[in-house]
């Protein structure tokens, strides 16, 4: 500092007060590695705060930093949407009814690994996996059983499935038809985010380009026939679960979403005809303020890009609506009751960040699928936040916080830095093919694991405070007989259906798949009505599209 130059108040405080006390030996950074200063002040707020071009703004108004709706939770609480699915459709239907009876306000469907990979339950690769991680859905009959007795025009449904999402949507639409519910009355979301699969979750059926075609077909068809349905939930959740930083989750997720918008616009769709039905799905990790900043930055970036880059005119197109799930990767098998506290803190971050719906993980999920008791505690966590804490009484109560606004601004900067790198590679599809986001996530995951193993990053019950571990936790065990039952169910469907009708619909689907300008959703609906199975439909499409093998990214 030059002689005679006056200290700021913050500099004076750092010299005269802060520096007199030794700091703890701790990594004063976010879980993503972003350094945290000892004190944030008004000088750390983004430029323009309080002026005509205030980047914070007001709730329900562009750029939506403070929330997508004017009244937020004073008008309506977030949807409490617990993820559920195990065994056969009959068992999961029972869990759905249990959750609805205990106050859940939306359904969220977890599929088993064979269903996610486009394999029928009797496929050799499905052995030992049927109904283990979610519900087995092979056919229209399973989808009808899954929602038996649940009026689909009175409940919103989320389905977490990507590579075969168009097939599952066809099953769902036809199942609703059998209830007398037309597609225009269905509300909910299907994930469909195939770029995220190649980046992080690794569940695919087809190569990247034809998989992207199916995403476009769904967006186009839903914009015409399902006005209440979100045909894609652009997902950062699995990117974060794979080990990304918060900034990487934000950047890669938004760039995936902008790529889907670009694809739809290039098909000739008006951005305002489909953008209002795009939704997002984010992780709520344990670093409280970083997560809140991530959500606020996400809304601001999306609003700007939709309005300025794609020329969207409707405010509904600018609003980023998103679902949040607490971080599965933060749960520990050691001292699992500690996970109740972790989940509560993460859920609170989602609420203070302005989520539209929320799933809270159960404390036993590091060990197995959750028991009913654990699910009830997870749901009650949301209800306590909503009804007892008072945090829903004021809109964006952390807005204006020096720390939160500075983190929001920095998160936005980091996202645009990644956008530039991705654009330099030729866009997100090309970046995925070249393994760029995969490498970035792998590097971040390695750094974090090193911190944990060295003890620099403390995990309670894992590398700190490990004494006095809990007693054995009861876990949910899936009866192996359910797999046998599901295989017999598939065989029974094949034996009773009109095989000639199935063959005709699959042949027609293959023929249309050969023409890239043809939308495949109408043929997928016909295949569902004919009771073709998921695996049969995927196999038919693979004769045209081929299969996918990931190239090494290192």
């Amino acid at each position: 500092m030059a002689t005679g130059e006056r200290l700021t108040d913050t500099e004076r405080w750092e010299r005269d007060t802060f520096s007199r006390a030794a700091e703890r030996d701790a990594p004063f950074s976010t879980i993503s590695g972003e350094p945290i200063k000892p004190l944030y002040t008004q000088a750390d707020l983004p430029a323009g705060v309080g002026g005509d071009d205030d980047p914070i703004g007001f709730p329900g108004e562009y750029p939506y930093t403070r929330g997508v709706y004017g009244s937020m939770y004073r008008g309506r609480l977030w949807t409490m949407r617990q993820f559920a699915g195990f065994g056969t459709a009959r068992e999961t239907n029972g869990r759905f009814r249990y959750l609805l009876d205990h106050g859940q306000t939306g359904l969220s469907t977890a599929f088993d690994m064979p269903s996610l990979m486009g394999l029928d339950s009797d496929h050799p690769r499905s052995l030992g996996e049927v109904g283990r991680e979610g519900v087995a859905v092979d056919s229209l009959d399973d989808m009808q059983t899954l929602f038996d007795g649940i009026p689909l025009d009175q409940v919103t449904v989320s389905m977490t499935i990507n590579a075969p999402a168009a097939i599952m949507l066809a099953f769902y639409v036809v199942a609703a038809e059998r209830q007398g519910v037309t597609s225009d009355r269905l509300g909910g979301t299907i994930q469909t985010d195939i770029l995220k699969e190649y980046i992080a979750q690794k569940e695919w059926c087809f190569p990247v380009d034809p998989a992207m075609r199916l995403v476009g077909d769904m967006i186009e068809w839903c914009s015409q026939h399902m006005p209440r349905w979100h045909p894609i939930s652009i997902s950062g959740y699995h990117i974060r679960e794979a080990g990304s930083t918060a900034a990487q989750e934000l950047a890669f997720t938004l760039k995936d979403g902008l790529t889907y918008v670009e694809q739809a616009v290039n098909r000739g769709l008006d951005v305002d005809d489909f953008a209002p039905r795009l939704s997002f799905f984010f992780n709520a990790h344990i670093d409280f303020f970083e997560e809140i900043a991530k959500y606020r930055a996400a809304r601001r970036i999306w609003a700007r890009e939709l309005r300025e880059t794609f020329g969207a005119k409707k405010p509904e197109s600018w609003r980023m609506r998103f679902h949040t799930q607490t971080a599965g990767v933060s749960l520990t098998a050691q001292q699992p009751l500690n996970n109740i506290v972790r989940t509560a803190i993460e859920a609170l971050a989602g609420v203070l960040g302005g989520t539209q719906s929320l799933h809270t993980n159960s404390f036993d999920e590091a060990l197995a699928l959750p028991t009913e008791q654990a699910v009830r505690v997870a749901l009650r966590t949301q209800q306590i936040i909503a009804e007892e804490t008072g945090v829903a009484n004021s809109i964006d109560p952390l807005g204006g916080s020096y720390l939160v606004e500075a983190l929001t601004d920095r998160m936005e900067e980091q996202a645009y830095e990644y956008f530039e790198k991705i654009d330099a590679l030729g866009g997100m599809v090309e970046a995925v093919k070249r393994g760029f986001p995969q490498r970035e996530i792998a590097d971040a995951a390695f750094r974090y694991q090193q911190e944990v193993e060295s003890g620099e990053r403390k995990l309670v019950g894992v590398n700190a405070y490990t004494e006095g571990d809990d007693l054995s936790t009861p876990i949910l065990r899936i009866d192996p007989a359910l797999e046998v039952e599901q295989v017999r169910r598939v065989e029974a469907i094949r034996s009773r259906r009109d095989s000639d009708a199935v063959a005709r619909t699959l042949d027609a689907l293959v023929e249309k798949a050969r023409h890239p300008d043809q939308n495949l959703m109408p043929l997928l609906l016909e295949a569902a009505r004919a009771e073709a199975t998921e695996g049969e439909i995927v196999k038919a499409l693979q004769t045209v599209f081929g299969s996918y093998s990931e190239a090494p990214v290192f």
Side-chain angles (χ1 to χ4, degrees), residues 231-244:
I232 183 168
S233 175
I234 304 136
S235 174
Y237 185 84
H238 305 95
I239 291 173
R240 194 64 179 282
E241 292 288 288
S244 80

PDB file of all heavy atoms in Angstrom, residues 231-244:
ATOM      1  N   PRO A 231     -41.296 -32.325 -20.833  1.00  0.00           N
ATOM      2  CA  PRO A 231     -40.739 -33.466 -21.561  1.00  0.00           C
ATOM      3  C   PRO A 231     -39.268 -33.717 -21.280  1.00  0.00           C
ATOM      4  O   PRO A 231     -38.718 -34.726 -21.727  1.00  0.00           O
ATOM      5  CB  PRO A 231     -40.942 -33.073 -23.026  1.00  0.00           C
ATOM      6  CG  PRO A 231     -40.903 -31.578 -23.003  1.00  0.00           C
ATOM      7  CD  PRO A 231     -41.546 -31.171 -21.711  1.00  0.00           C
ATOM      8  N   ILE A 232     -38.636 -32.801 -20.544  1.00  0.00           N
ATOM      9  CA  ILE A 232     -37.236 -33.011 -20.191  1.00  0.00           C
ATOM     10  C   ILE A 232     -36.949 -32.293 -18.886  1.00  0.00           C
ATOM     11  O   ILE A 232     -37.410 -31.172 -18.657  1.00  0.00           O
ATOM     12  CB  ILE A 232     -36.306 -32.508 -21.330  1.00  0.00           C
ATOM     13  CG1 ILE A 232     -34.838 -32.796 -20.994  1.00  0.00           C
ATOM     14  CG2 ILE A 232     -36.524 -31.045 -21.626  1.00  0.00           C
ATOM     15  CD1 ILE A 232     -33.908 -32.602 -22.175  1.00  0.00           C
ATOM     16  N   SER A 233     -36.232 -32.962 -18.009  1.00  0.00           N
ATOM     17  CA  SER A 233     -35.765 -32.369 -16.761  1.00  0.00           C
ATOM     18  C   SER A 233     -34.242 -32.385 -16.818  1.00  0.00           C
ATOM     19  O   SER A 233     -33.609 -33.411 -16.586  1.00  0.00           O
ATOM     20  CB  SER A 233     -36.276 -33.159 -15.550  1.00  0.00           C
ATOM     21  OG  SER A 233     -35.738 -32.644 -14.354  1.00  0.00           O
ATOM     22  N   ILE A 234     -33.679 -31.251 -17.172  1.00  0.00           N
ATOM     23  CA  ILE A 234     -32.245 -31.167 -17.413  1.00  0.00           C
ATOM     24  C   ILE A 234     -31.541 -31.303 -16.068  1.00  0.00           C
ATOM     25  O   ILE A 234     -31.766 -30.522 -15.157  1.00  0.00           O
ATOM     26  CB  ILE A 234     -31.913 -29.848 -18.124  1.00  0.00           C
ATOM     27  CG1 ILE A 234     -32.733 -29.757 -19.425  1.00  0.00           C
ATOM     28  CG2 ILE A 234     -30.435 -29.767 -18.445  1.00  0.00           C
ATOM     29  CD1 ILE A 234     -33.357 -28.422 -19.688  1.00  0.00           C
ATOM     30  N   SER A 235     -30.703 -32.323 -15.966  1.00  0.00           N
ATOM     31  CA  SER A 235     -30.302 -32.805 -14.652  1.00  0.00           C
ATOM     32  C   SER A 235     -28.833 -32.563 -14.342  1.00  0.00           C
ATOM     33  O   SER A 235     -27.949 -33.127 -14.994  1.00  0.00           O
ATOM     34  CB  SER A 235     -30.595 -34.311 -14.541  1.00  0.00           C
ATOM     35  OG  SER A 235     -30.100 -34.823 -13.334  1.00  0.00           O
ATOM     36  N   GLY A 236     -28.607 -31.754 -13.311  1.00  0.00           N
ATOM     37  CA  GLY A 236     -27.273 -31.630 -12.758  1.00  0.00           C
ATOM     38  C   GLY A 236     -27.031 -32.599 -11.622  1.00  0.00           C
ATOM     39  O   GLY A 236     -25.890 -32.760 -11.172  1.00  0.00           O
ATOM     40  N   TYR A 237     -28.108 -33.229 -11.146  1.00  0.00           N
ATOM     41  CA  TYR A 237     -27.990 -34.071  -9.959  1.00  0.00           C
ATOM     42  C   TYR A 237     -26.920 -35.147 -10.132  1.00  0.00           C
ATOM     43  O   TYR A 237     -26.038 -35.316  -9.294  1.00  0.00           O
ATOM     44  CB  TYR A 237     -29.330 -34.718  -9.621  1.00  0.00           C
ATOM     45  CG  TYR A 237     -29.289 -35.495  -8.327  1.00  0.00           C
ATOM     46  CD1 TYR A 237     -29.469 -34.844  -7.112  1.00  0.00           C
ATOM     47  CD2 TYR A 237     -29.022 -36.864  -8.307  1.00  0.00           C
ATOM     48  CE1 TYR A 237     -29.397 -35.532  -5.911  1.00  0.00           C
ATOM     49  CE2 TYR A 237     -28.948 -37.561  -7.113  1.00  0.00           C
ATOM     50  CZ  TYR A 237     -29.137 -36.889  -5.915  1.00  0.00           C
ATOM     51  OH  TYR A 237     -29.051 -37.573  -4.731  1.00  0.00           O
ATOM     52  N   HIS A 238     -26.990 -35.873 -11.229  1.00  0.00           N
ATOM     53  CA  HIS A 238     -26.082 -37.000 -11.425  1.00  0.00           C
ATOM     54  C   HIS A 238     -24.668 -36.520 -11.765  1.00  0.00           C
ATOM     55  O   HIS A 238     -23.687 -37.221 -11.482  1.00  0.00           O
ATOM     56  CB  HIS A 238     -26.627 -37.915 -12.509  1.00  0.00           C
ATOM     57  CG  HIS A 238     -28.025 -38.380 -12.216  1.00  0.00           C
ATOM     58  ND1 HIS A 238     -29.121 -37.732 -12.726  1.00  0.00           N
ATOM     59  CD2 HIS A 238     -28.494 -39.380 -11.431  1.00  0.00           C
ATOM     60  CE1 HIS A 238     -30.220 -38.335 -12.289  1.00  0.00           C
ATOM     61  NE2 HIS A 238     -29.868 -39.323 -11.503  1.00  0.00           N
ATOM     62  N   ILE A 239     -24.561 -35.345 -12.370  1.00  0.00           N
ATOM     63  CA  ILE A 239     -23.249 -34.751 -12.605  1.00  0.00           C
ATOM     64  C   ILE A 239     -22.565 -34.488 -11.273  1.00  0.00           C
ATOM     65  O   ILE A 239     -21.379 -34.780 -11.093  1.00  0.00           O
ATOM     66  CB  ILE A 239     -23.402 -33.460 -13.431  1.00  0.00           C
ATOM     67  CG1 ILE A 239     -23.847 -33.804 -14.864  1.00  0.00           C
ATOM     68  CG2 ILE A 239     -22.123 -32.639 -13.444  1.00  0.00           C
ATOM     69  CD1 ILE A 239     -24.201 -32.604 -15.717  1.00  0.00           C
ATOM     70  N   ARG A 240     -23.334 -33.962 -10.301  1.00  0.00           N
ATOM     71  CA  ARG A 240     -22.757 -33.705  -8.980  1.00  0.00           C
ATOM     72  C   ARG A 240     -22.461 -35.009  -8.245  1.00  0.00           C
ATOM     73  O   ARG A 240     -21.448 -35.136  -7.554  1.00  0.00           O
ATOM     74  CB  ARG A 240     -23.718 -32.846  -8.155  1.00  0.00           C
ATOM     75  CG  ARG A 240     -23.086 -32.228  -6.903  1.00  0.00           C
ATOM     76  CD  ARG A 240     -21.979 -31.246  -7.267  1.00  0.00           C
ATOM     77  NE  ARG A 240     -21.367 -30.606  -6.116  1.00  0.00           N
ATOM     78  CZ  ARG A 240     -21.894 -29.599  -5.432  1.00  0.00           C
ATOM     79  NH1 ARG A 240     -23.079 -29.126  -5.764  1.00  0.00           N
ATOM     80  NH2 ARG A 240     -21.252 -29.070  -4.416  1.00  0.00           N
ATOM     81  N   GLU A 241     -23.341 -35.988  -8.381  1.00  0.00           N
ATOM     82  CA  GLU A 241     -23.111 -37.271  -7.732  1.00  0.00           C
ATOM     83  C   GLU A 241     -21.856 -37.960  -8.270  1.00  0.00           C
ATOM     84  O   GLU A 241     -21.222 -38.747  -7.573  1.00  0.00           O
ATOM     85  CB  GLU A 241     -24.327 -38.190  -7.924  1.00  0.00           C
ATOM     86  CG  GLU A 241     -25.575 -37.739  -7.183  1.00  0.00           C
ATOM     87  CD  GLU A 241     -25.473 -37.930  -5.680  1.00  0.00           C
ATOM     88  OE1 GLU A 241     -25.524 -39.077  -5.226  1.00  0.00           O
ATOM     89  OE2 GLU A 241     -25.327 -36.910  -4.970  1.00  0.00           O
ATOM     90  N   ALA A 242     -21.501 -37.653  -9.515  1.00  0.00           N
ATOM     91  CA  ALA A 242     -20.298 -38.242 -10.103  1.00  0.00           C
ATOM     92  C   ALA A 242     -19.022 -37.585  -9.600  1.00  0.00           C
ATOM     93  O   ALA A 242     -17.925 -38.070  -9.893  1.00  0.00           O
ATOM     94  CB  ALA A 242     -20.353 -38.144 -11.626  1.00  0.00           C
ATOM     95  N   GLY A 243     -19.154 -36.476  -8.844  1.00  0.00           N
ATOM     96  CA  GLY A 243     -17.983 -35.857  -8.242  1.00  0.00           C
ATOM     97  C   GLY A 243     -17.672 -34.456  -8.700  1.00  0.00           C
ATOM     98  O   GLY A 243     -16.615 -33.917  -8.372  1.00  0.00           O
ATOM     99  N   SER A 244     -18.575 -33.827  -9.447  1.00  0.00           N
ATOM    100  CA  SER A 244     -18.302 -32.481  -9.946  1.00  0.00           C
ATOM    101  C   SER A 244     -18.327 -31.451  -8.823  1.00  0.00           C
ATOM    102  O   SER A 244     -18.851 -31.693  -7.728  1.00  0.00           O
ATOM    103  CB  SER A 244     -19.335 -32.085 -11.006  1.00  0.00           C
ATOM    104  OG  SER A 244     -20.546 -31.651 -10.399  1.00  0.00           O
TER     105      SER A 244
END
